[in-house]
Structure formats: C-alpha cells, structure tokens
Amino acid sequence: EIAELLRNSNLFVLSSISEGMPVSVMEALASGLPVCTTQCGGVDELINEFNGKIVPIRDYQAMFDFVNKCILGLVTFDKDRISKHLVSEYGNYAFRKRIMEYYTKVLS
C-alpha cells in the first residue's frame, strides 16, 4: 500500500531534525518522487538538483517556498529519471558491486 501511495504522490517531504540514512527518502526516490528534506543527515549523497532540494533544519519558510513552487509547477522533475538514478546508485546490483570492490581491496 505504501508503494502505491508513493507512486501516486507528487512530492515527498521530510522535516526531520536528525536522521542516519533516511530509508523513507530512498523509497520515495525509488518511486520517482522528488524530495524536499531538511539537512538532517544522510541526505547529501541522495538529493541533488535533479531530484529535490535540501533546506536547513527548522527553516520552514525555505521548505514552504520549495513545496509551493512544486505545487505551482514552477519547479518540475522527471520521475522516471529520479527512479532510475536511485536504482543505479543504490539498488541491489550497485550495492553488490560496491561490497565486492570493498572486499577485493581489503582481502588483497
């Protein structure tokens, strides 16, 4: 049900103060959703100009401004590109490749 809700949404908003690696952001990106998130940890390597925006923690005005621009259609995103990028960087194949490269270096 959650995957279906994400696929039928237009934007994912995360207003956390602190996160490790926010899996919810990765799930949203995998569904093709652009993301507006606070600088809460773990998002720097996930969010870029092609898939969303990072705003300072507790800067609700910046978050509102970005969300409003999305609602008004002033900022648009390619959902297919968002999904494909997340899968290519963090999907099963990419994860296995990074793990194998790591262990190859460690064991050699």
Side-chain angles (χ1 to χ4, degrees):
E1 292 178 17
I2 292 173
E4 186 66 25
L5 288 170
L6 289 171
R7 279 193 294 278
N8 291 321
S9 298
N10 295 314
L11 180 67
F12 185 83
V13 177
L14 181 72
S15 60
S16 291
I17 293 172
S18 178
E19 293 281 343
M21 174 55 79
V23 174
S24 59
V25 169
M26 295 178 80
E27 291 170 339
L29 294 169
S31 297
L33 278 180
V35 173
C36 181
T37 181
T38 54
Q39 182 69 53
C40 59
V43 295
D44 286 341
E45 60 190 80
L46 296 171
I47 304 301
N48 59 49
E49 67 272 10
F50 301 108
N51 65 13
K53 181 156 180 86
I54 300 171
V55 299
I57 292 172
R58 294 188 176 96
D59 189 344
Y60 303 108
Q61 186 63 50
M63 185 167 275
F64 167 81
D65 290 343
F66 182 76
V67 170
N68 195 46
K69 286 178 183 177
C70 290
I71 291 169
L72 295 173
L74 301 174
V75 178
T76 59
F77 296 93
D78 181 338
K79 285 185 155 192
D80 196 44
R81 180 180 183 184
I82 291 171
S83 178
K84 286 180 180 176
H85 180 262
L86 187 280
V87 171
S88 73
E89 293 295 316
Y90 300 96
N92 290 338
Y93 177 77
F95 178 76
R96 279 191 301 252
K97 183 179 176 193
R98 277 198 295 278
I99 291 293
M100 292 305 294
E101 288 172 357
Y102 172 78
Y103 282 113
T104 300
K105 289 178 186 176
V106 169
L107 297 174
S108 56

